[in-house]
Amino acid sequence: MGRKILRKGIFLFYVLMLVLLPTGCKKDEETPAGKLNDLDFTVVEEADLPEELLKIINEKKENPFKLSYTSEDSLYIARGYGAQRSGGYSITVKELYLSEQGIYFETELIGPSQEDLVSQAITHPYIVVKLEKSEQPVIYSE
């Protein structure tokens, strides 16, 4: 009886290993398909935005938005997350690179932790980055 239980245990172990091993390996180091090179950028503060771009953002900020704006010498890429119930939000740029299809732009909204003291007013978090002027299309990550 004891050998039967041991065999079942070993069998279950191998079955679990076969199921878990293929899904346990993640290749974060791989270059995304079509990635040519990372792009240099600057996060732009509201006070330094072109007036026309700021006007467009203010019109759109109530809802999530994605937009690009070209000036004489620069490309601005903006991503807004719409109305949030409090302050304390931040946005990080996870990826910004040139691909074979265009400029790939990925951001992440980071909410306040439960320990943070934040304003209870409605906020409209958004981020704007500035890079060299380009005619490439902008591809926004979801």
Side-chain angles (χ1 to χ4, degrees):
M1 184 86 163
R3 287 184 148 216
K4 216 176 196 180
I5 293 174
L6 181 60
R7 282 188 203 155
K8 283 184 181 179
I10 291 172
F11 176 75
L12 285 173
F13 172 78
Y14 283 116
V15 169
L16 282 172
M17 293 305 289
L18 288 172
V19 171
L20 295 177
L21 277 178
T23 60
C25 299
K26 187 175 178 186
K27 298 180 180 179
D28 286 340
E29 306 80 48
E30 283 186 11
T31 302
K35 181 177 179 176
L36 301 175
N37 62 295
D38 290 318
L39 296 173
D40 292 327
F41 66 92
T42 304
V43 175
V44 184
E45 298 295 323
E46 187 174 298
D48 298 325
L49 291 173
E51 190 175 318
E52 184 179 357
L53 175 56
L54 183 57
K55 181 180 176 190
I56 294 168
I57 289 171
N58 284 329
E59 290 170 358
K60 294 183 172 286
K61 71 181 181 181
E62 192 65 34
N63 297 303
F65 67 86
K66 302 169 186 172
L67 68 90
S68 60
Y69 175 87
T70 305
S71 68
E72 286 182 22
D73 58 348
S74 300
L75 171 63
Y76 295 84
I77 304 173
R79 173 74 166 96
Y81 286 86
Q84 303 297 320
R85 295 181 184 194
S86 71
Y89 286 87
S90 63
I91 302 169
T92 184
V93 176
K94 293 183 74 174
E95 295 268 12
L96 181 56
Y97 61 82
L98 181 62
S99 75
E100 294 170 353
Q101 294 78 32
I103 297 170
Y104 180 84
F105 184 57
E106 180 179 358
T107 60
E108 180 181 16
L109 178 66
I110 302 167
S113 71
Q114 291 187 352
E115 297 83 39
D116 289 343
L117 295 175
V118 296
S119 71
Q120 295 305 306
I122 301 290
T123 61
H124 304 87
Y126 66 88
I127 189 169
V128 180
V129 298
K130 178 181 175 181
L131 49 152
E132 281 185 25
K133 187 174 182 176
S134 173
E135 298 302 319
Q136 296 289 330
V138 178
I139 301 161
Y140 297 88
S141 170
E142 289 304 316

